[in-house]
Amino acid sequence: MRLRILLLPALAAITAVAADTNTSAAAKYRATADKLIDAALADDAGLARLEYLCYRIGNRLSGSSGLEQAVAWSAEEMKRAGLENVRTIPVKVPRWVRGRESAEIVAPFHRPLYVLGLGGSVATPAGGITGEVVPVSNFDELEKLGRAGVEGKIVLYDAPFVSYGETVIYRSNGAARAAKLGATAALVRSITPRSLRDPHTGATNYPADGLKIPTAAVSVEDAVWVHHLAQSGEHVQVHLEMEAHFEPDADSADVMGEIRGSEKPDEVVVIGGHIDSWDVGQGAHDDGGGVMAALEAVALIKKLGLTPRRTIRVVFWTNEENGGRGGRAYRDWIDKDVSRHVAAIEMDGGAEQPVGFDFAAESHQQVRFSPVFQKAMAISQFLKRTGATRIVRGGSEADVAPLFAQGVPALALRTVMTRYFDYHHSQADTFDKIVPDEFRRCTAAFALMSYVLADWP
């Protein structure tokens, strides 16, 4: 214990010296930072690419023709931007097909409900399911009802939005929990703080050895309404029909291109987002904005004639939404070269006003003594014009998580997310929700952080 007490002040002093050294070393990048930010804030090419992706290709669920069109188009766009070593990395992806779906109240009166099947759901039997609805606000209420109160009925999770991390468990695990108690189906209030009767989809999980029941998201307004009817003493009955099913795995691919490093080309800073989306809306914020900001960041570095010492690789990962196979395929593709990855940066939180970068770490101590974290802190001094100055401990995004698990420092470009969950996984995630100046600031932050990390002596 005494040794630890003696070491802590020494370690703190070393950390302080390292921070000062990094700040001093970063100073030489001020002029380059201004050039990159100026170029990004005046840029229209990234927005034009994002508009094409949204308006001409549209949503891009794994296994769909839309995704494969986006993959082929993205590779051509990387070539047009002058990137080197453009290629696709083959990935087998799940193919879940929504089919027709509908729901309506059939007692005590007839009214339609606005629903959207959850990704991975099974179908109802032919002709659908009709059952009394049992509303609950949380899992504790479900367990108190027990099998006697749930068996043969449709469970409705009317859980108010607290945060995505806290509330998404009802979408992920709600059907499985209800099935254990004998429910015939599950409806889940959309995971969003605001709604215009627009349901939000997303993946649900079934245990390998458990019963699978149909499950769908219901609009916030409908969830609250049905819950109120039940609380007032009505026995609400709903008829649900879903054709959802899986087909054999389909061929897809990650897309990548590079600016090769001038001195250490085998060392890599990888940046990107996921090219797939759900099968509704246009995938503008989730995650079209992320992939197009990453591509444009590298395109601007190339356009300005900047060649970093290390390689910057932009990757569009596939199948983030309902499988994560693209991130794992990339890790497997690089194999032993994972140790040569200096950092991995992903943007998957919408293209709103950026606030900074989360640094993935298991502990605060791991953050303090990370050389990459210290460098990111030093780089943040140049990001004031973008607003992305906050560098804090956080989690890694899904596609870079396999790299982080093998020791690669992972950062996530974070935004204010003020309206992100209004559109997330819904028909409303469309290009018109993108604010051009905010997208440009995301591009600027991506460009500066990736370039300086890749060029650091």
Side-chain angles (χ1 to χ4, degrees), residues 137-139 159-171 191:
S137 299
N138 50 55
F139 287 136
F161 185 91
V162 178
S163 70
Y164 188 71
E166 292 180 69
T167 315
V168 75
I169 57 174
Y170 297 101
R171 188 189 77 200
I191 313 302

Side-chain angles (χ1 to χ4, degrees), residues 121 211 236 319 412:
S121 177
L211 177 66
V236 181
N319 185 231

Side-chain angles (χ1 to χ4, degrees), residues 78-355:
M78 288 186 185
K79 293 175 184 176
R80 289 190 191 98
L83 273 59
E84 304 163 71
N85 298 327
V86 175
R87 63 172 298 161
T88 57
I89 303 169
V91 185
K92 281 286 188 181
V93 298
R95 177 165 168 74
W96 179 77
V97 179
R98 178 179 301 281
R100 292 177 296 180
E101 55 191 15
S102 64
E104 63 172 333
I105 295 175
V106 294
F109 40 68
H110 283 262
R111 295 287 191 281
L113 294 175
Y114 290 81
V115 297
L116 198 56
L118 294 181
S121 177
V122 295
T124 60
I129 289 173
T130 301
E132 182 178 348
V133 175
V134 181
V136 295
S137 299
N138 50 55
F139 287 136
D140 288 340
E141 290 184 10
L142 178 73
E143 295 303 323
K144 286 179 182 178
L145 287 172
R147 179 169 287 271
V150 172
E151 190 167 21
K153 298 177 181 177
I154 297 173
V155 170
L156 167 65
Y157 293 99
D158 179 28
F161 185 91
V162 178
S163 70
Y164 188 71
E166 292 180 69
T167 315
V168 75
I169 57 174
Y170 297 101
R171 188 189 77 200
S172 301
N173 303 325
R177 295 281 293 266
K180 282 184 178 181
L181 297 176
T184 59
L187 298 174
V188 181
R189 171 171 163 166
S190 289
I191 313 302
T192 177
R194 285 171 291 271
S195 175
L196 293 175
R197 221 174 185 189
D198 183 18
H200 296 228
T201 191
T204 194
N205 300 320
Y206 295 115
D209 57 350
L211 177 66
K212 298 179 180 181
I213 60 174
T215 180
V218 64
S219 72
V220 171
E221 295 85 348
D222 286 349
V224 172
W225 173 38
V226 172
H227 199 166
H228 171 76
L229 289 172
Q231 286 178 327
S232 67
E234 296 285 359
H235 292 277
V236 181
Q237 288 200 326
V238 164
H239 181 74
L240 175 67
E241 293 191 23
M242 296 176 63
E243 294 181 340
H245 63 280
F246 277 101
E247 296 184 357
D249 285 358
D251 293 322
S252 188
D254 294 335
V255 189
M256 59 160 276
E258 301 174 333
I259 294 178
R260 294 287 288 171
S262 60
E263 295 180 13
K264 300 180 177 182
D266 292 335
E267 295 185 10
V268 176
V269 172
V270 61
I271 70 173
H274 64 87
I275 187 62
D276 64 304
S277 75
W278 282 104
D279 58 336
V280 291
Q282 297 167 355
H285 277 283
D286 187 19
D287 186 29
V291 290
M292 290 301 112
L295 173 55
E296 194 56 24
V298 179
L300 289 172
I301 292 169
K302 182 80 174 178
K303 185 177 180 180
L304 291 173
L306 300 172
T307 304
R309 289 177 171 85
R310 297 168 188 83
T311 294
I312 301 177
R313 179 178 295 159
V314 58
V315 179
F316 294 178
W317 289 282
T318 195
N319 185 231
E320 186 273 346
E321 293 292 4
N322 64 338
R325 296 185 189 179
R328 294 193 296 273
Y330 177 76
R331 177 205 58 197
D332 293 343
W333 179 74
I334 59 175
D335 196 19
K336 296 176 182 178
D337 287 341
V338 67
S339 62
R340 295 181 178 273
H341 277 54
V342 175
I345 313 174
E346 184 170 6
M347 176 179 162
D348 186 17
E352 294 182 82
Q353 169 61 44
V355 296

Side-chain angles (χ1 to χ4, degrees), residues 363-415:
S363 67
H364 287 293
Q365 188 175 24
Q366 187 181 18
V367 172
R368 288 177 61 199
F369 298 112
S370 167
V372 173
F373 177 76
Q374 295 291 342
K375 290 175 174 61
M377 287 291 292
I379 295 166
S380 69
Q381 66 183 297
F382 304 127
L383 289 168
K384 290 181 180 178
R385 290 170 59 198
T386 71
T389 57
R390 188 193 72 180
I391 313 292
V392 298
R393 177 191 171 197
S396 70
E397 295 288 12
D399 293 303
V400 300
L403 302 179
F404 173 64
Q406 292 192 255
V408 178
L411 295 94
L413 177 55
R414 293 296 182 212
T415 71

Side-chain angles (χ1 to χ4, degrees), residues 4-22 365 368-369 374:
R4 183 181 177 185
I5 293 172
L6 291 172
L7 282 174
L8 284 175
L11 289 172
I14 291 170
T15 303
V17 170
D20 289 342
T21 301
N22 283 321
Q365 188 175 24
R368 288 177 61 199
F369 298 112
Q374 295 291 342

